[in-house]
Amino acid sequence: MKPDIVALGEPLLELNAVEGGLLRSVRRYEVGWGGDTSNFAVAVARLGGSVGYISRIGDDEFGKSFLQLWDQEGVDTRHVIVEENAYTGIYFVSRVSDLSRFTYYRESSASSRISPSDVPETYIKEAKLLHTSGISQAISPSACDAVFDAIEVARQSGTLVCYDPNVRLQLWGQSRARAVVLETIGLADFVLPSLEDAAAILNIEDPARIVEKLLASGPRAVVLKLGENGVLVGFGDDIEHVQGLQVDVVDTTGAGDTFAAAFTLSYLEGNEFTQCARFANAAAALASRGKGAVTPIPDRESVEQFIQAVEQP
Ligand code: KDG
């Protein structure tokens, strides 16, 4: 099987606080899976796409847990390298609403040791789309090089590049993040930043100006995620607003990754950008109704039923 979509980055075991408050007082966690690009890959698979993952994991129980997950979900793992004597990263999620809710234990993890020699050129060339992120670049200099190499292979062979800046300033300094993210945006076909990402890398607050500015650097489409206010979709000279869908939000962790999966899959199925964004909005809304990054990712049927219910209440 040659997957249509391949993603490159780091999976992280997730420990999601059951109680509210600071982690020092939390006594119970729900164990799950996270890592933006792994969430993306699982979401593509649940939505019915063919997908493969490029990463390194430790030869530990958490790495094995990921192999089981990907196997169950139908994510191709032939380019996931299992490294002896290395560990799989973990993160904790507290019940607060901003990115400070993430606490990472990932320095020197197996994934952070990914390097250009791990980039599977033929795999990327044979795919229709490569997805990667600012987190994949932030975890180490060698991972950052691997991302740039993978993008270069994709660009040379006509494989589309989707990039989620996913700016996590706990992982790298703002000026380095800004330089790398802006450079990468110029190399990507689709760029899917959140408003917070854009604020961290541009000194612009107006959403339409952000989209214009990013589009000017070269992508075919920029989709700016505005949370419950929906998204702005910019392509060519057009900027369109797609409304958000109201759901009871439990945990937004991973919702952006589901958005990216649904958007890219819908594009590869031949839909227009605004149509892709509508489908992606619905998938992301459903993904935020449950706790954890992976468990609430919806399947195709649930998204289609949800869209129908919203359109014909
Ligand atoms: O998009 C959700 C991710 O942020 C989460 O699963 C953890 O990959 C993660 C990270 O580095 O923040």
Side-chain angles (χ1 to χ4, degrees):
M1 165 224 182
K2 292 178 191 162
D4 286 342
I5 298 181
V6 296
L8 186 159
E10 172 162 48
L12 293 175
L13 194 85
E14 179 179 270
L15 290 151
N16 207 312
V18 171
E19 296 107 42
L22 296 174
L23 290 186
R24 72 185 73 157
S25 60
V26 170
R27 291 292 166 267
R28 287 176 303 144
Y29 294 94
E30 250 166 58
V31 180
W33 304 270
D36 61 342
T37 49
S38 171
N39 303 336
F40 168 92
V42 171
V44 171
R46 283 200 193 158
L47 294 169
S50 70
V51 60
Y53 197 43
I54 304 166
S55 190
R56 275 183 172 261
I57 52 171
D59 184 21
D60 54 9
E61 285 301 309
F62 302 153
K64 291 188 177 109
S65 159
F66 268 105
L67 287 175
Q68 258 173 15
L69 169 76
W70 295 322
D71 188 47
Q72 271 163 19
E73 300 285 346
V75 175
D76 180 55
T77 55
R78 89 190 75 159
H79 291 289
V80 174
I81 298 167
V82 180
E83 191 177 334
E84 272 180 38
N85 302 320
Y87 76 95
T88 307
I90 63 178
Y91 77 122
F92 293 80
V93 186
S94 63
R95 312 240 63 74
V96 297
S97 63
D98 59 32
L99 288 174
S100 70
R101 70 184 185 278
F102 297 146
T103 300
Y104 300 117
Y105 289 84
R106 68 194 316 177
E107 211 180 317
S108 308
S109 65
S111 304
S112 68
R113 301 188 197 182
I114 198 166
S115 71
S117 60
D118 298 325
V119 171
E121 293 193 7
T122 310
Y123 197 56
I124 294 172
K125 280 184 190 156
E126 289 178 347
K128 294 183 179 149
L129 182 136
L130 166 74
H131 174 75
T132 190
S133 78
I135 295 176
S136 309
Q137 294 170 308
I139 53 178
S140 73
S142 70
C144 192
D145 292 348
V147 168
F148 278 119
D149 276 23
I151 290 176
E152 181 63 23
V153 171
R155 282 167 59 88
Q156 279 174 6
S157 46
T159 301
L160 294 165
V161 175
C162 177
Y163 178 62
D164 186 339
N166 256 345
V167 179
R168 302 283 185 270
L169 292 178
Q170 302 104 302
L171 300 177
W172 52 352
Q174 187 158 17
S175 34
R176 189 172 150 82
R178 185 178 289 145
V180 172
V181 167
L182 287 175
E183 171 72 18
T184 314
I185 287 172
L187 301 172
D189 295 284
F190 311 136
V191 179
L192 315 175
S194 64
L195 201 53
E196 296 77 39
D197 290 338
I201 53 170
L202 300 171
N203 288 325
I204 306 176
E205 282 177 14
D206 175 47
R209 282 208 49 226
I210 292 169
V211 174
E212 276 165 13
K213 170 99 182 157
L214 296 182
L215 263 184
S217 64
R220 297 183 193 200
V222 171
V223 183
L224 184 67
K225 294 172 279 183
L226 307 169
E228 61 186 20
N229 295 323
V231 295
L232 279 190
V233 192
F235 50 99
D237 294 328
D238 270 1
I239 299 185
E240 298 200 13
H241 179 231
V242 174
Q243 280 204 329
L245 300 170
Q246 301 311 314
V247 287
D248 291 330
V249 174
V250 173
D251 180 4
T252 57
T253 308
D257 310 323
T258 298
F259 184 96
F263 183 88
T264 50
L265 196 57
S266 180
Y267 183 80
L268 293 183
E269 288 170 359
N271 295 306
E272 303 289 340
F273 290 127
T274 41
Q275 182 62 25
C276 300
R278 274 193 200 98
F279 179 67
N281 250 353
L286 291 181
S288 62
R289 289 201 308 192
K291 206 172 191 190
V294 162
T295 306
I297 295 173
D299 62 15
R300 182 72 175 228
E301 207 185 328
S302 321
V303 180
E304 281 165 0
Q305 281 173 359
F306 181 56
I307 292 174
Q308 258 186 6
V310 172
E311 285 173 358
Q312 297 148 12

